[in-house]
Amino acid sequence: MTVAEELTPETPEEAEEPIEQRKNGLYPGVSDELAENMKSGWADTELHDLQPIPQAAETAARRAALSARFPGERLVVPAGNLKTRSNDTEYPFRASVEYTYLTGNQTEDGVLVMEPVADGHKATIYLLPRSDRENGEFWLSGQGELWVGRRHSLSEAEKLYGIPASDVRELADALREARGPVRVVRGYDAGIEAALTDKVTAERDEELRVFLSEARLVKDAFEIGELQKAVDSTVRGFEDVVKVLDKAEATSERYIEGTFFLRARVEGNDVGYGSICAAGPHACTLHWVRNDGPVRPGDLLLLDAGVETHTYYTADVTRTLPVDGRYTEIQKKIYDAVYEAQEAGIAAVKPGAKYRDFHDAAQRVLTEKLVEWGLVEGPVERVLELGLQRRWTLHGTGHMLGLDVHDCAAARVETYVDGVLEPGMCLTVEPGLYFQADDLTVPEEYRGIGVRIEDDILVTEDGHRNLSAGLPRRSDEVEAWMASLKG
């Protein structure tokens, strides 16, 4: 028996508790006359001409691959729930990447259930239906249609996602009664996990999570197109920032953050991660997201930011820009070293290469520079073996990119960091040098300078493609680009 068949027949009105009202609301209750009045007089707004989402064929193929990996097992993949920010306000909702990857749906409380059948699995997407007009939910509940907007009906969802849809409010009870092996993606929906607590194991669930992470290592054509969209919007966001650097100088890093955010919200869903708008010595803090410092002429601005598309794919690009448009001699020296290291790293990205090759190539160039400048005692091989360059390079040279800015993070080490590059993989190449303001081991002129250059690189059949090539990287090209934008 499937979960859908096990669902209880009671109506939503019988199953639901009364809609809770605010403690200090100005209206103490609802009269019978008003309640009756609100039930009628509404036009039929069912959408009948919906077409499947653009990635429907791809999500179906992904579910088929998942089915083939776990035959005979019930698979449960939740979207997640709203999280409270403060009192009765919530954080903007972002569905789990596993759920989005398999369905294309992004609504809270959704759950994908794949029921084992003779020839594979039957998929059902469990969603909240449209808010109920009979019990007043649509106008009395804080999550009702008149408060937060219209949800798709279940029949509309079926047309959009190409998956049979059912009411998620009845799913937990049905899962408690379910029989047979079950796996669930953990960490998103406590209610669903509680319903399965005696049916799942952490080890088996982790295998599901790992599989879904590794499935995203190679991007399909739809994903590559979305990543390029994200990068193209990001390029325009960087141009926006350069055009208003004079206003940032008069205010703070927040002006830069807000400027880029505007582009992200107009052309995409959001920023893919907290923008790093690090001016001056803040550039030496790898994840500087406070963005409350001054922006001064003569300093560098390290801008690490990415637009996230409406389908959740994000760019991740960094440029280190001279606030007044011209690098000083020492800034250029450090910047050019990082550029040379990035060139070596990007050149190492090709099918059949080890994933680590681009990191090793970039780190070698940076280490050679540090030895040449007398900041660390050579030979280079010794420095690399002991990792001494890491005092100033600090981080790895890149990561996979996709639905998460650090995508595929749950993949096995042997398939990711110790793996081999394949066409369709997308990764960042982002070497950096960071000389902390209080680092007494380097000359004073170096202190407080941080430089990172980051691009999004797609592995192709014959090598690689720089998705973010629309942004200049070489120091002289950066200066010319900034001058042209400032007019």
Side-chain angles (χ1 to χ4, degrees):
M1 181 179 291
T2 67
V3 165
E5 292 169 335
E6 291 166 356
L7 292 177
T8 58
E10 64 182 354
T11 65
E13 289 85 357
E14 294 170 333
E16 291 175 352
E17 295 181 358
I19 297 168
E20 183 178 350
Q21 300 299 295
R22 285 188 182 181
K23 180 178 181 181
N24 287 304
L26 292 175
Y27 290 106
V30 177
S31 68
D32 292 342
E33 289 79 5
L34 176 58
E36 196 62 32
N37 177 276
M38 292 296 288
K39 291 180 182 180
S40 60
W42 305 101
D44 179 9
T45 58
E46 182 76 9
L47 304 176
H48 299 285
D49 57 351
L50 292 174
Q51 298 298 314
I53 58 173
Q55 68 269 41
E58 285 82 2
T59 55
R62 298 165 194 167
R63 293 192 301 273
L66 177 62
S67 174
R69 171 62 179 83
F70 298 104
E73 302 184 55
R74 180 176 282 116
L75 309 173
V76 182
V77 185
N81 316 123
L82 288 172
K83 290 183 171 62
T84 299
R85 181 179 183 271
S86 178
N87 188 27
D88 58 353
T89 61
E90 292 82 22
Y91 287 105
F93 179 73
R94 191 181 191 275
S96 73
V97 294
E98 295 88 352
Y99 176 83
T100 304
Y101 179 74
L102 294 169
T103 67
N105 179 257
Q106 299 175 4
T107 54
E108 65 269 17
D109 300 327
V111 183
L112 173 69
V113 178
M114 297 188 58
E115 308 264 2
V117 293
D119 58 349
H121 285 81
K122 176 188 175 185
T124 303
I125 189 170
Y126 289 86
L127 301 167
L128 286 170
R130 286 191 63 188
S131 349
D132 197 325
R133 292 185 184 258
E134 281 299 309
N135 71 356
E137 175 197 356
F138 79 110
W139 71 287
L140 291 173
S141 169
Q143 294 302 317
E145 187 169 304
L146 298 193
W147 287 93
V148 298
R150 182 186 187 278
R151 295 191 290 262
H152 282 295
S153 69
L154 297 182
S155 60
E156 290 170 352
E158 290 183 354
K159 294 175 184 176
L160 287 169
Y161 307 109
I163 312 171
S166 292
D167 190 337
V168 73
R169 293 173 297 183
E170 301 167 333
L171 178 59
D173 286 342
L175 288 174
R176 289 187 187 93
E177 304 302 321
R179 299 290 180 266
V182 184
R183 296 178 192 256
V184 64
V185 177
R186 299 189 182 202
Y188 299 113
D189 193 318
I192 293 299
E193 290 181 37
L196 294 170
T197 187
D198 60 340
K199 299 176 176 63
V200 296
T201 67
E203 181 179 2
R204 287 162 50 81
D205 292 347
E206 181 64 12
E207 289 175 351
L208 172 60
R209 179 169 173 261
V210 167
F211 173 82
L212 290 172
S213 198
E214 293 184 356
R216 303 199 306 276
L217 284 168
V218 176
K219 271 59 182 178
D220 57 38
F222 175 84
E223 293 178 291
I224 292 169
E226 289 299 294
L227 284 167
Q228 187 65 69
K229 283 183 192 176
V231 169
D232 291 346
S233 289
T234 299
V235 168
R236 290 187 283 274
F238 274 68
E239 292 172 348
D240 295 339
V241 167
V242 171
K243 292 175 182 177
V244 300
L245 277 177
D246 58 331
K247 293 183 174 62
E249 290 178 42
T251 53
S252 76
E253 296 163 340
R254 291 282 168 92
Y255 203 96
I256 294 166
E257 179 183 4
T259 299
F260 187 85
F261 182 70
L262 177 61
R263 178 66 65 173
R265 287 293 282 168
V266 168
E267 295 193 2
N269 176 58
D270 206 330
V271 289
Y273 53 95
S275 298
I276 299 167
C277 308
H282 288 163
C284 298
T285 301
L286 298 183
H287 288 171
W288 177 260
V289 293
R290 299 180 199 172
N291 299 335
D292 59 359
V295 180
R296 300 187 180 98
D299 282 348
L300 294 177
L301 166 67
L302 190 157
L303 177 58
D304 184 336
V307 172
E308 176 184 86
T309 67
H310 293 292
T311 56
Y312 287 175
Y313 289 87
T314 186
D316 183 8
V317 178
T318 305
R319 291 293 183 268
T320 306
L321 311 172
V323 172
D324 56 11
R326 301 286 295 182
Y327 295 101
T328 66
E329 183 178 349
I330 184 64
Q331 289 170 351
K332 186 176 186 300
K333 173 183 174 180
I334 296 169
Y335 184 95
D336 288 349
V338 175
Y339 171 77
E340 187 178 330
Q342 194 200 27
E343 283 283 273
I346 292 174
V349 176
K350 54 190 174 182
K354 294 179 181 178
Y355 175 84
R356 290 180 180 272
D357 286 352
F358 77 93
H359 168 71
D360 292 343
Q363 288 291 300
R364 176 170 290 278
V365 171
L366 293 178
T367 302
E368 289 170 350
K369 297 295 182 181
L370 293 167
V371 171
E372 176 188 326
W373 298 340
L375 303 185
V376 63
E377 183 181 348
V380 168
E381 293 298 337
R382 167 186 169 271
V383 176
L384 288 168
E385 181 180 356
L386 298 176
L388 301 180
Q389 84 284 359
R390 292 179 61 186
R391 181 182 178 103
W392 303 284
T393 66
L394 292 177
H395 55 80
T397 311
H399 52 80
M400 291 296 180
L401 185 67
L403 282 168
D404 277 329
V405 65
H406 297 143
D407 207 24
C408 314
R412 292 168 295 173
V413 172
E414 57 266 32
T415 61
Y416 189 160
V417 175
D418 290 341
V420 174
L421 296 179
E422 301 177 38
M425 290 182 171
C426 188
L427 52 93
T428 67
V429 179
E430 50 176 310
L433 281 174
Y434 311 91
F435 299 102
Q436 305 300 325
D438 59 351
D439 188 349
L440 301 181
T441 70
V442 300
E444 187 174 356
E445 63 177 350
Y446 286 75
R447 298 173 197 167
I449 295 178
V451 173
R452 179 163 68 251
I453 313 172
E454 177 181 20
D455 285 87
D456 301 342
I457 311 298
L458 175 70
V459 184
T460 62
E461 294 289 345
D462 57 356
H464 63 260
R465 174 158 58 96
N466 184 351
L467 301 180
S468 45
L471 276 179
R473 292 186 294 125
R474 210 173 64 201
S475 57
D476 59 334
E477 293 175 341
V478 169
E479 290 177 339
W481 169 71
M482 293 182 69
S484 68
L485 290 173
K486 289 186 174 184

